[in-house]
């Protein structure tokens, strides 16, 4: 049987022990006797194994009449695509390491080791690896961390990777990976990219965030606006106002607007813009209420005339908020 099939006697004995290809009978001396039907079954087993099926799946395919071959093929297609994607990702990372020209074996081996750790199936191991790499090191390490971050779905590991990228001394290397990801077809990837860019210092990161203010993805646009507002960029004001109107992180946006107004002494003009936005909205709408509340983040001297007008308006909810803010201002002197 081994000679005819090309399969070792050891493997034949294993197939017999697991019940996959048992012999039809045995001789008086105890040797296994195989029939032509056994040989045919053996070839079926090897054919299915060549497709990547496990022995359990092969057993089921041969013995279960209800077993659907199409289901196996679908799973194999999915698994193969995932494996190819992982291999392509590894190839891309290795090419990046090569292009950065590591001059020492230690550098190359360290990055390869880091890549292997970041591909571990254990989230805690990936997180530990990310935390241990923060700080100075080969410039291609920042790119490796950024690529791993974009692919990371565990929020704790992603946070550790973002922290490590932020503390890298090669922000430009990280940005080379993160900036193209802003146009990824996958929303989570775009959001991880912009959240990381928002943590990076430097003019280039600021320029990228400024460009992101016009992004079609609301989450990208809003993250960029909050980051730029924190940096004191007045260009973020329109998007921050949009956030207040839409109710997306509106409290953070209002606080950032107040910080910008005090930093640039623009409270008067900003209060006027908010008042105009209130005027545009339908009476009783949630947007008017959020805009009125945002006025409380601005210096009282700039908002008092507007609040006084709103307190006497027909919109009862906005009037109550304006009255409260005026009273609060008086109490604070």
């Amino acid at each position: 049987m081994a000679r005819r099939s090309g399969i070792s006697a050891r493997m034949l004995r294993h197939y017999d022990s697991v019940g996959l290809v048992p012999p039809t009978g045995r001789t008086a001396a105890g040797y296994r006797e195989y029939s032509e039907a056994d040989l045919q079954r053996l070839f079926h087993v090897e054919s299915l194994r060549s497709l990547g099926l496990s022995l359990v799946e092969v057993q089921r395919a041969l013995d279960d009449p209800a077993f659907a071959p199409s289901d196996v093929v679908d799973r194999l297609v999915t698994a193969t695509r995932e494996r190819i994607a992982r291999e392509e990702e590894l190839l891309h990372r290795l090419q990046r390491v090569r292009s950065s020209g590591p001059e020492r074996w230690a550098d190359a081996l360290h990055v390869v080791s880091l890549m292997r750790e970041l591909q571990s199936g254990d989230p805690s191991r990936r997180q530990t690896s990310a935390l241990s790499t923060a700080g100075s090191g080969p410039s291609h390490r920042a790119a490796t961390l950024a690529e791993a971050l974009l692919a990371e779905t565990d929020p704790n590991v992603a946070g550790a990777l973002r922290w490590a990228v932020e503390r890298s001394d090669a922000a430009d290397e990280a940005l080379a990976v993160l900036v193209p990801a802003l146009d990824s077809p996958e929303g989570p990837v775009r959001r991880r990219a912009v959240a990381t860019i928002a943590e990076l210092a430097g003019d280039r990161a600021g320029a990228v965030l400024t460009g992101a203010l016009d992004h079609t993805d609301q989450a990208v646009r809003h993250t960029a606006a909050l980051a730029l507002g924190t940096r004191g960029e007045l260009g973020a004001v329109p998007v921050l106002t949009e956030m207040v109107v839409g109710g997306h992180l509106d409290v953070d946006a209002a606080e950032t607007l107040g910080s910008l107004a005090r930093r640039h002494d623009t409270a008067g003009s900003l209060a006027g813009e908010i008042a105009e936005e209130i005027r545009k909205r339908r009476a009783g709408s949630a947007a008017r209420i959020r805009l009125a509340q945002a006025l409380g983040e601005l210096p009282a001297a700039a908002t008092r005339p507007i609040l006084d007008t709103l307190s006497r308006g027909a919109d009862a909810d906005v009037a109550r908020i304006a009255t409260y803010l005026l009273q609060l201002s008086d109490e604070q002197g």
Side-chain angles (χ1 to χ4, degrees):
M1 183 70 161
R3 285 194 302 272
R4 291 184 64 182
S5 66
I7 298 169
S8 69
R10 180 180 179 182
M11 183 58 72
L12 288 173
R13 288 192 293 271
H14 177 63
Y15 284 165
D16 180 14
S17 68
V18 298
L20 194 57
V21 188
T24 297
R26 286 182 179 267
T27 67
Y31 288 98
R32 294 171 175 83
E33 282 190 323
Y34 291 93
S35 66
E36 286 295 326
D38 296 334
L39 181 61
Q40 184 178 9
R41 182 179 175 91
L42 178 62
F43 285 145
H44 285 167
V45 168
E46 290 301 299
S47 297
L48 291 170
R49 288 198 66 194
S50 70
L51 293 176
L53 271 67
S54 67
L55 291 182
V56 173
E57 290 174 321
V58 170
Q59 181 89 55
R60 183 183 173 198
L62 293 176
D63 297 340
D64 184 357
F67 187 77
S70 59
D71 293 341
V72 176
V73 174
D74 288 343
R75 290 202 300 272
L76 289 173
V77 168
T78 300
T80 301
R81 285 175 174 167
E82 290 175 350
R83 185 175 67 253
I84 291 173
R86 289 194 300 270
E87 294 297 327
E88 287 181 341
E89 181 181 356
L90 176 60
L91 176 61
H92 177 68
R93 292 181 182 181
L94 288 171
Q95 288 174 332
R96 185 177 293 279
V97 172
R98 183 178 65 180
S99 66
S100 65
E103 298 179 357
R104 298 181 302 169
W105 270 108
D107 291 343
L109 292 175
H110 180 83
V111 173
V112 172
S113 175
L114 173 61
M115 290 164 56
R116 184 172 62 249
E117 291 294 314
L118 292 176
Q119 289 181 323
S120 168
D122 182 359
S124 62
R125 185 174 171 184
R126 299 197 302 273
Q127 184 176 18
T128 299
S129 178
L131 294 173
S132 66
T133 58
S136 60
S139 60
H140 40 265
R141 182 188 300 173
T144 299
L145 291 168
E147 287 176 335
L149 168 63
L150 294 176
E152 184 57 62
T153 56
D154 186 288
N156 294 323
V157 181
L161 285 164
R162 191 159 51 246
W163 180 84
V165 171
E166 177 191 354
R167 282 155 180 76
S168 169
D169 56 359
D172 285 350
E173 292 287 336
L175 284 171
V177 174
L178 296 170
V179 172
L182 292 176
D183 295 320
S184 168
E186 300 179 35
V189 173
R190 296 194 298 269
R191 290 188 280 276
R192 285 194 289 270
V194 72
T196 306
I197 296 171
E199 299 293 334
L200 298 179
D203 293 339
R204 187 181 173 199
V208 172
L209 291 170
T210 298
L213 291 175
D214 296 322
H215 203 284
T216 55
D217 187 328
Q218 173 181 282
V220 171
R221 193 165 63 247
H222 292 177
T223 300
L226 287 173
L228 287 169
T230 301
R231 299 179 187 212
E233 296 293 335
L234 286 172
V237 168
V239 179
L240 291 170
T241 304
E242 167 196 308
M243 294 170 68
V244 173
V245 171
H248 182 264
L249 296 175
D250 53 295
V251 174
D252 294 334
E255 291 177 349
T256 305
L257 284 171
S259 176
L260 281 171
R262 287 185 288 273
R263 184 169 181 171
H264 295 282
D265 195 21
T266 57
S269 60
L270 185 53
E273 292 176 18
I274 292 177
E276 178 62 20
E277 288 293 332
I278 292 175
R279 188 188 64 78
K280 294 178 183 177
R281 310 295 157 183
R282 178 176 54 84
S285 67
R288 283 174 63 94
I289 293 173
R290 287 191 293 268
L291 286 164
Q293 291 170 334
L295 289 171
E297 299 293 337
L298 304 181
T303 60
R304 176 168 285 277
I306 294 172
L307 290 173
D308 185 62
T309 299
L310 292 174
S311 68
R312 292 180 280 105
D315 190 326
D317 292 327
V318 171
R320 278 195 294 270
I321 293 171
T323 300
Y324 168 74
L325 292 176
L326 286 170
Q327 292 174 348
L328 186 64
S329 174
D330 292 338
E331 291 173 1
Q332 294 175 344

